[in-house]
């Protein structure tokens, strides 16, 4: 299995923080065995990727040497769009929170990539939007904290004084005093939960960005699509299930039953249900996610909403519209306008 890859922008953030503290990493004796590799990574383009294990080692040593348990949050305060590469610029230039989140879910592999990575899932619960992904291993706690803090801080730069998070949910245990989390996020933060989550008001999806640039976004979108196409194909269990559902939708123009997908993956239905439950997901969530992706693809073909609903296994246009609104917080009319 290929090792998890993280953006070199994270190494640049680490170096920026040290420079801000008046520290040259060459003068940290604890990093002596790694200095040649660090120099190499810091010379690479900021939007390329390097092994997570190396970054984890460097961060742990730095954290201990500087006696700074909140290191990830201090680094996150320095985040800029370029640290997330093309995806960072796309999010910054998006027209709304909803559009930015769609790009984040679609192109997350350009930031963190690996067989153990599970795409973020978005769903609406009442007047709340939940962005979730499952817990994999405690060894990724520092990476999850770094990424969550960086995304929140960048989001507040794009939508200043508007975007408010209601809750932050961590699947791992607290890595530092609770005071640091509460001060940084300014909202409820809980730990040892079933999955990771950002929670915000559904009204937040319609917030507009002062940096929106549709023309530039379209150019960046094409660049991101090319970069994703060049990525190696490897799949986790959840990604295999998503792929099987997506393939069935395209081939049969109807929604698959869980029994059929289980058979395709050479699993019993009960085993498939258990694996999804362990990953913090369900067959219904996977099916709806892939239906929505296919819906966006079909909308670009100028099909009627009735035809699209039929191809995705919905009873009619109104059922499709309700499902998309619940999934993304947007209406199909808003999506069609964006695609045009």
């Amino acid at each position: 299995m290929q090792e998890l890859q993280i953006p070199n922008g994270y190494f640049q953030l680490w170096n920026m923080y040290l420079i801000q503290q008046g520290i040259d990493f060459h003068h940290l004796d604890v990093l002596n065995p790694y200095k040649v590799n660090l120099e190499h990574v810091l010379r690479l383009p900021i939007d390329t990727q390097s092994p997570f294990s190396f970054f984890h080692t460097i961060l742990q040593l730095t954290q201990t040497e500087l006696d700074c348990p909140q290191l990830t949050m201090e680094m996150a305060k320095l985040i800029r769009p370029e640290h997330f590469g093309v995806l960072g610029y796309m999010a910054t230039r998006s027209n709304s929170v909803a559009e930015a989140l769609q790009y984040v879910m679609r192109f997350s592999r350009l930031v963190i990539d690996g067989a153990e990575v599970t795409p973020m899932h978005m769903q609406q619960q009442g007047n709340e939007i939940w962005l979730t992904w499952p817990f994999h291993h405690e060894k990724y706690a520092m990476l999850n904290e770094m990424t969550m803090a960086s995304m929140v801080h960048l989001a507040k730069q794009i939508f200043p004084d508007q975007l408010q998070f209601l809750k932050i949910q961590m699947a791992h245990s607290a890595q530092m005093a609770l005071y640091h989390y509460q001060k940084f996020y300014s909202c409820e933060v809980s730990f040892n939960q079933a999955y990771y989550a950002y929670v915000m008001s559904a009204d937040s999806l319609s917030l507009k960005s002062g940096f929106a640039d549709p023309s530039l976004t379209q150019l960046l979108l094409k660049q991101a699509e090319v970069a994703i196409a060049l990525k190696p194909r490897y799949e986790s269990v959840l990604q295999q299930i998503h792929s099987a559902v997506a393939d069935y939708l395209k081939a049969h123009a109807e929604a698959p039953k869980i029994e059929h997908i289980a058979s395709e993956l050479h699993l019993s239905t009960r085993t498939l249900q258990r694996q999804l439950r362990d990953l913090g997901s369900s067959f219904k969530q996977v099916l709806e996610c892939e239906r929505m992706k296919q819906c966006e693809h079909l909308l670009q073909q100028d099909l009627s909403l009735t035809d699209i609903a039929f191809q995705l296994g919905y009873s009619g246009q109104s059922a499709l519209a309700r499902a998309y609104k619940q999934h993304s917080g947007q209406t199909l009319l808003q999506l069609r306008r964006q695609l045009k």
Side-chain angles (χ1 to χ4, degrees), residues 51-67:
F52 160 71
S53 59
F54 181 45
F55 180 71
H56 187 251
T57 298
I58 297 303
L59 235 59
Q60 281 188 317
L61 291 171
T62 306
Q63 197 174 54
T64 302
E65 181 71 11
L66 302 184
D67 189 22

Side-chain angles (χ1 to χ4, degrees), residues 98 122 124 129 202 205 324-331 334:
M122 180 166 66
Q124 187 165 349
I129 295 296
L205 293 178
Y324 190 80
K325 175 71 173 177
Q326 183 177 12
H327 173 77
S328 69
Q330 286 183 297
T331 66
Q334 289 172 323

Side-chain angles (χ1 to χ4, degrees), residues 36 42 118 137 139 141-142 147-148 156 158 171 184 202 235 241 261 292 302 310 318 325 333 337:
V36 172
L42 291 172
T118 303
H137 197 284
K139 67 183 178 181
M142 185 178 287
T147 303
M148 293 183 80
K156 290 184 177 180
I158 302 171
F184 184 89
E235 298 179 318
I241 299 169
I261 299 301
M292 295 305 100
D302 288 329
F310 177 76
S318 59
K325 175 71 173 177
L333 181 58
R337 285 173 178 167

Side-chain angles (χ1 to χ4, degrees), residues 21-51:
Q21 303 305 306
I23 301 172
D24 182 340
F25 78 84
H26 293 91
H27 298 157
L28 294 178
D29 293 341
V30 70
L31 298 178
N32 283 342
Y34 310 100
K35 287 175 182 176
V36 172
N37 285 340
L38 279 170
E39 290 170 352
H40 171 70
V41 170
L42 291 172
R43 285 195 300 267
L44 292 172
I46 196 169
D47 59 347
T48 53
Q49 295 171 316
S50 293

Side-chain angles (χ1 to χ4, degrees), residues 127-175:
N127 194 42
E128 295 179 345
I129 295 296
W130 284 66
L131 304 164
T132 64
W133 63 98
F135 173 82
H136 286 298
H137 197 284
E138 191 75 22
K139 67 183 178 181
Y140 298 129
M142 185 178 287
L143 178 61
N144 276 297
E145 294 211 344
M146 178 75 207
T147 303
M148 293 183 80
S150 297
M151 287 181 66
V152 166
H153 200 71
L154 184 59
K156 290 184 177 180
Q157 291 178 41
I158 302 171
F159 305 94
D161 304 320
Q162 303 177 66
L163 183 60
Q164 298 295 321
F165 290 88
L166 304 177
K167 183 191 301 183
I168 300 293
Q169 188 170 287
M170 308 278 191
H172 59 259
S173 56
Q175 306 293 296

Side-chain angles (χ1 to χ4, degrees), residues 165-234:
F165 290 88
L166 304 177
K167 183 191 301 183
I168 300 293
Q169 188 170 287
M170 308 278 191
H172 59 259
S173 56
Q175 306 293 296
M176 64 193 88
L178 296 182
Y179 162 79
H180 296 297
Y181 295 101
Q182 293 163 352
K183 181 179 178 182
F184 184 89
Y185 289 109
S186 300
C187 68
E188 177 187 345
V189 184
S190 56
F191 300 90
N192 299 310
Q193 302 299 306
Y195 46 81
Y196 293 94
Y198 298 106
V199 185
M200 65 183 74
S201 167
D203 297 335
S204 300
L205 293 178
S206 60
L207 292 176
K208 303 298 182 181
S209 168
F211 305 99
D213 187 336
S215 298
L216 178 57
T217 300
Q218 287 305 308
L219 292 174
L220 293 169
L221 177 60
K222 293 177 181 178
Q223 186 178 342
E225 288 173 339
V226 170
I228 281 288
L230 294 174
K231 287 284 186 183
R233 183 181 176 88
Y234 48 80

Side-chain angles (χ1 to χ4, degrees), residues 244-313:
V245 171
D247 291 343
Y248 189 97
L249 283 169
K250 293 173 186 175
H252 301 279
E254 64 179 18
K257 303 291 186 183
I258 188 172
E259 293 81 6
H260 178 87
I261 299 301
S263 176
E264 285 284 318
L265 298 174
H266 306 290
L267 300 170
S268 68
T269 300
R270 181 174 296 181
T271 297
L272 179 56
Q273 290 172 326
R274 177 182 56 77
Q275 289 184 346
L276 285 167
R277 185 174 61 251
D278 291 344
L279 291 167
S281 186
S282 69
F283 185 72
K284 181 180 178 181
Q285 289 180 352
V286 172
L287 177 58
E288 287 306 292
C289 179
E290 293 306 324
R291 277 171 149 177
M292 295 305 100
K293 290 180 183 177
Q294 184 68 355
C295 174
E296 294 176 2
H297 173 70
L298 294 173
L299 273 174
Q300 297 180 60
Q301 300 179 21
D302 288 329
L303 295 174
S304 71
L305 294 181
T306 300
D307 287 341
I308 293 174
F310 177 76
Q311 289 197 36
L312 297 178

